[in-house]
Amino acid sequence: MDFTTDIFELFGGAYLGDFSKYMYQADVYGSVFYVTLLLPVAVAFVYYIILDHILLAKNSKWVMIGGLTAVASTVISLLIARTKLHGYIFMQNIHDADIGAEDYVTFGVIVFAWAAVFFAVFSIIFKSFSSRCRNIPF
């Protein structure tokens, strides 16, 4: 779990105070990591292995699909984080949690970036198994 925490806190570069502290204590980082990793893997697999269609063999389509995957990963991760974090704060009866919208925005940007990176990495891996999308993204 410390590894996933380090990933989302950018190895100490994006520690968000109470937000990060309660996310760690509520064990939210693990769930968010699975969504951020597995959704891009699944979409890249479907794009290159299952669909592998000539209409998708364009860089613009790849960017659009990668962007939508990162957005979906971000939205799902933010919903998980918000639900679990607020549940943890309520159950622990914490009244002075200094968590604001800017914490969620920063966290969302980090999740979006990691999901985009994971999609790109798994695209590079899966494209060698594709016949029509072999040259996408490069």
Side-chain angles (χ1 to χ4, degrees):
M1 175 156 126
D2 288 331
F3 177 70
T4 58
T5 303
D6 288 340
I7 286 175
F8 290 111
E9 292 178 359
L10 301 177
F11 302 95
Y15 181 74
L16 300 173
D18 281 351
F19 181 82
S20 293
K21 177 176 80 173
Y22 294 133
M23 287 278 288
Y24 181 79
Q25 290 174 353
D27 195 25
V28 179
Y29 284 121
S31 303
V32 171
F33 178 75
Y34 289 129
V35 170
T36 306
L37 177 67
L38 295 179
L39 186 61
V41 168
V43 172
F45 180 80
V46 168
Y47 179 83
Y48 286 101
I49 309 298
I50 306 292
L51 294 178
D52 192 24
H53 197 275
I54 194 70
L55 293 176
L56 295 175
K58 297 178 181 153
N59 285 330
S60 60
K61 300 278 184 174
W62 180 82
V63 169
M64 181 184 70
I65 290 170
L68 290 174
T69 301
V71 166
S73 179
T74 302
V75 169
I76 293 168
S77 296
L78 285 173
L79 289 173
I80 290 170
R82 185 176 184 276
T83 302
K84 285 189 169 189
L85 194 57
H86 285 277
Y88 175 80
I89 289 170
F90 178 75
M91 293 300 287
Q92 297 297 319
N93 202 18
I94 300 169
H95 298 289
D96 58 347
D98 187 23
I99 297 173
E102 65 276 358
D103 295 324
Y104 285 104
V105 170
T106 303
F107 182 68
V109 169
I110 292 169
V111 169
F112 181 89
W114 278 115
V117 166
F118 289 145
F119 182 77
V121 167
F122 286 103
S123 291
I124 292 168
I125 293 169
F126 290 138
K127 79 179 198 169
S128 63
F129 300 105
S130 174
S131 60
R132 294 181 183 96
C133 296
R134 174 171 245 122
N135 297 325
I136 305 302
F138 25 72

